[in-house]
Amino acid sequence: MIYDVKAVALPGDSGLTCVIGVRGGDEGGVTRENRHLVGAAAGVAALVPVYYLTEAAARALRTSSATFGPAPAALGYLAAVAVIVTLLTAWPAAALGCGIPLAAAGAVFALDLNAALGVAGSLPWAREGGLPWSQPDGVPWAELTEPPGTMAGMTGLYTIIGALLVLSALLPGRLRSVLGR
């Protein structure tokens, strides 16, 4: 967008001026289609951290439940997911780019667990114990037979997050996140 700036004198003896921005042509600007394409690409790129952070949170919650201990790492992982999801809801194309694959992954986990485990086993870091980073205490995340995404997929976290992202993209503009205004 190209904007023309105009200064207009306010009535009276105050000597104040008001600056008004007037929208000009669209020379050299980004088209609507390009914004949608970039948004979808940003959503697909955000899929990787959302997928792995959600899985890390689910595994940390499982570990804390098994040891009857607190789970501050799970809270941190879920907070990171919440920040990413909040940013994605401001841009409908990005929300759809991340939400549709997440909801689809959740549906596959709900409908055919063996197929979902096969696909999750082919993801990066599946052979190293599941996640690209180690647990805070240095213990491996899980058995090598448990691919990344298993806990979050089986508990329905991917379905919930994906559905929320898709629903946020379908909302009218006035009801979307404050970040989109």
Side-chain angles (χ1 to χ4, degrees):
M1 295 285 164
I2 296 177
Y3 291 95
D4 294 328
V5 178
K6 304 209 188 248
V8 177
L10 294 175
D13 294 333
S14 64
L16 296 175
T17 58
C18 176
V19 176
I20 300 174
V22 179
R23 182 177 170 187
D26 205 22
E27 301 96 19
V30 179
T31 65
R32 180 180 173 103
E33 292 80 21
N34 285 344
R35 279 195 306 269
H36 289 307
L37 186 62
V38 169
V44 171
L47 180 63
V48 174
V50 169
Y51 185 88
Y52 284 109
L53 287 169
T54 304
E55 174 63 12
R59 289 183 185 197
L61 286 171
R62 178 184 64 183
T63 302
S64 83
S65 176
T67 60
F68 298 105
L75 179 64
Y77 294 137
L78 286 175
V81 169
V83 166
I84 295 170
V85 167
T86 301
L87 292 173
L88 290 174
T89 59
W91 200 352
L96 288 174
C98 186
I100 290 173
L102 270 180
V108 171
F109 271 102
L111 299 175
D112 191 0
L113 184 60
N114 290 330
L117 291 177
V119 171
S122 67
L123 293 175
W125 302 293
R127 307 287 183 268
E128 290 86 24
L131 296 172
W133 63 90
S134 62
Q135 276 196 61
D137 54 2
V139 178
W141 280 104
E143 300 297 324
L144 292 177
T145 58
E146 183 181 319
T150 304
M151 284 306 300
M154 288 175 41
T155 57
L157 284 172
Y158 293 140
T159 305
I160 292 169
I161 294 170
L164 288 174
L165 281 168
V166 170
L167 289 175
S168 76
L170 299 177
L171 287 173
R174 59 185 161 70
L175 296 177
R176 264 190 241 120
S177 171
V178 220
L179 296 173
R181 295 182 185 159

